[in-house]
Amino acid sequence: MSWRALLKFELTAIFTNQSILFTVFGGVLIYSFLYPLPYSQQLPREQHVAVVNLDNSQTSRELERMVDATPQVQLAARALSIEEATMMLNTGKVEGLLVIPEHFSRDLLLGKSPTLAYAGDAAYFLVYGSVVEGLATAGGTLGAKAKVSRMVMSGENIALAAEQHSAMSLTMQPVFNPTMGYINYVVPAVFVLILHQTLLIAVALLGGGQNEHARQGRNGYWLQYPPLRVTLVRACLFMLIYLPLVMYYFGFTFSFYQISRLAAISDLLVVTVPFLLAVIFMGVAIGQLLPRRELATVVVLLSSIPLIFSTGFIWPTSAIPAPINMLVQFVPATPAIHAFLRLNQMGADFHQVVLQWGQLWLQVLVYGAIAVTLMLKNNRRQKPSAVIN
């Protein structure tokens, strides 16, 4: 009944369970390369675009060349009608289309504002954004060139005309995402969610498997010790296992994908400890409610996609319905993601994440109490014998 014996039993239970080992080490390592792989180029480039040139003038053909020269899009096809170009877009042959109207060159020379029509596949927002950005850049550049030409013909100095062709100049400085890419935008938060989900599955697998053994009439070491002691030892072991994995994610993988790292190690550690404890205690509680171990993977994985879109890093919190926003506050990943993003990607000081830090410690207390209560209830119902298998 010693702490040392319990520690030995727990270590054996964890490291002889292939499902737990694959979930913890395999899941974390595989996802660290698998998830960011499709977005390793940060932004989509050279998206195929079809053009419908209804003007067929020298100026419209110059616009085509300018569109093809942009890094965002590539002129892949020419269509004779809007209907033909729309069919190409709908069948996936191109990702966007550009319609140059009739009398485009004439209206441009007369100082009028001809209307260019853009279209793109909005089902993929990054692709759509690249198509529209490339087409708008080419159109805006040609429009500026035409305006400067008119100003020079009116007697303006060419250098002054080039500077004053627009009433304002735009200088863009990306904040928190210097590359404006997908990896810096979503991967840091998803990595926290991966740690959350894999740890939750692993702890719940252990508890669900032990419940399954007890229901089969088999005795186990966890029935011979006080629930509080079992919970604390389990929490310490999983904490020691996951601390190196957290360092691997925030260290090697962030450097490998060139993701910003602005937080001090001490601040990250202060947030990591309650985050892992809250997840472990939540996993213990879930494990005590599951009659079979395989249900742990099913239950946790089914929650992954809803969590991605409701924790507030992909979809704005202000656009999430209030009941859903309140519900996800009970998940440790929610305050942890916001705390880690503010510290590591936004360069916030620790006092700016005190609320999230306090929320995590509150979850530690609540889920810890629930886990011990459920384990005590299960122990009494299963009526263990004095023999330990």
Side-chain angles (χ1 to χ4, degrees):
M1 300 288 288
S2 66
W3 287 87
R4 184 175 180 179
L6 178 58
L7 179 63
K8 181 179 178 181
F9 283 131
E10 283 283 301
L11 278 172
T12 303
I14 293 173
F15 285 95
T16 58
N17 191 317
Q18 295 182 358
S19 299
I20 294 177
L21 293 178
F22 181 77
T23 300
V24 172
F25 298 104
V28 171
L29 294 175
I30 291 172
Y31 269 106
S32 67
F33 294 100
L34 182 63
Y35 184 83
L37 184 61
Y39 314 105
S40 58
Q41 300 303 314
Q42 294 281 10
L43 288 174
R45 289 286 186 260
E46 298 295 330
Q47 300 300 303
H48 291 177
V49 171
V51 62
V52 182
N53 193 340
L54 302 177
D55 188 52
N56 285 318
S57 63
Q58 181 179 353
T59 304
S60 64
R61 287 190 290 272
E62 181 182 1
L63 176 59
E64 290 185 18
R65 291 192 295 272
M66 294 174 70
V67 167
D68 197 38
T70 61
Q72 292 89 357
V73 296
Q74 176 184 354
L75 192 59
R78 288 182 174 83
L80 299 178
S81 65
I82 298 177
E83 291 75 15
E84 182 183 353
T86 303
M87 185 176 297
M88 292 181 182
L89 181 62
N90 292 336
T91 56
K93 294 181 178 179
V94 295
E95 285 78 35
L97 59 89
L98 167 66
V99 179
I100 304 176
E102 290 184 289
H103 312 304
F104 172 76
S105 178
R106 183 195 67 184
D107 292 344
L108 202 61
L109 292 175
L110 292 176
K112 297 181 180 180
S113 298
T115 301
L116 295 173
Y118 310 146
D121 187 357
Y124 305 97
F125 67 94
L126 287 175
V127 172
Y128 176 77
S130 294
V131 169
V132 173
E133 181 186 2
L135 296 178
T137 300
T141 302
L142 183 64
K145 178 182 177 182
K147 188 171 183 179
V148 170
S149 298
R150 289 196 303 271
M151 293 174 68
V152 171
M153 293 175 64
S154 300
E156 293 280 353
N157 179 273
I158 186 171
L160 187 63
E163 293 179 359
Q164 297 182 348
H165 73 276
S166 177
M168 63 182 69
S169 60
L170 177 63
T171 301
M172 297 182 63
Q173 181 62 46
V175 180
F176 309 138
N177 187 357
T179 63
M180 295 295 288
Y182 187 85
I183 286 182
N184 286 278
Y185 159 57
V186 76
V187 166
V190 171
F191 275 0
V192 177
L193 188 61
I194 291 171
L195 292 168
H196 178 278
Q197 297 297 81
T198 55
L199 178 55
L200 201 61
I201 291 174
V203 180
L205 275 172
L206 183 58
Q210 291 175 348
N211 286 340
E212 187 175 355
H213 285 301
R215 283 178 171 81
Q216 294 171 355
R218 300 167 60 184
N219 297 312
Y221 69 90
W222 62 92
L223 301 174
Q224 310 300 322
Y225 289 88
L228 179 59
R229 188 183 301 184
V230 175
T231 303
L232 290 177
V233 170
R234 190 167 298 179
C236 290
L237 285 178
F238 275 105
M239 173 76 72
L240 293 175
I241 292 172
Y242 259 80
L243 278 176
L245 297 177
V246 172
M247 290 188 289
Y248 165 73
Y249 263 24
F250 289 159
F252 170 77
T253 56
F254 274 36
S255 297
F256 185 79
Y257 294 113
Q258 299 180 349
I259 299 173
S260 301
R261 293 184 302 171
L262 304 177
I265 295 178
S266 57
D267 291 343
L268 290 177
L269 183 62
V270 168
V271 177
T272 299
V273 170
F275 166 58
L276 294 180
L277 285 176
V279 178
I280 291 168
F281 290 147
M282 186 180 184
V284 173
I286 292 175
Q288 295 304 307
L289 297 173
L290 299 177
R292 300 190 308 275
R293 61 180 180 179
E294 64 269 15
L295 292 177
T297 304
V298 176
V299 171
V300 176
L301 286 183
L302 286 176
S303 67
S304 297
I305 297 301
L307 280 178
I308 287 177
F309 290 97
S310 58
T311 49
F313 66 92
I314 288 182
W315 198 258
T317 305
S318 58
I320 300 174
I324 296 178
N325 195 27
M326 290 180 60
L327 185 62
V328 296
Q329 298 306 316
F330 293 96
V331 180
T334 302
I337 286 173
H338 289 285
F340 284 126
L341 288 181
R342 293 179 187 182
L343 289 172
N344 224 9
Q345 273 59 59
M346 300 181 182
D349 295 327
F350 181 75
H351 69 84
Q352 295 175 293
V353 298
V354 167
L355 290 179
Q356 288 76 23
W357 180 74
Q359 185 178 348
L360 286 171
W361 276 115
L362 180 61
Q363 291 177 345
V364 170
L365 297 176
V366 172
Y367 288 128
I370 294 174
V372 173
T373 302
L374 291 176
M375 188 175 292
L376 180 61
K377 182 179 178 181
N378 280 348
N379 286 6
R380 289 175 178 174
R381 185 175 63 250
Q382 291 160 2
K383 297 180 180 180
S385 65
V387 179
I388 302 178
N389 289 337

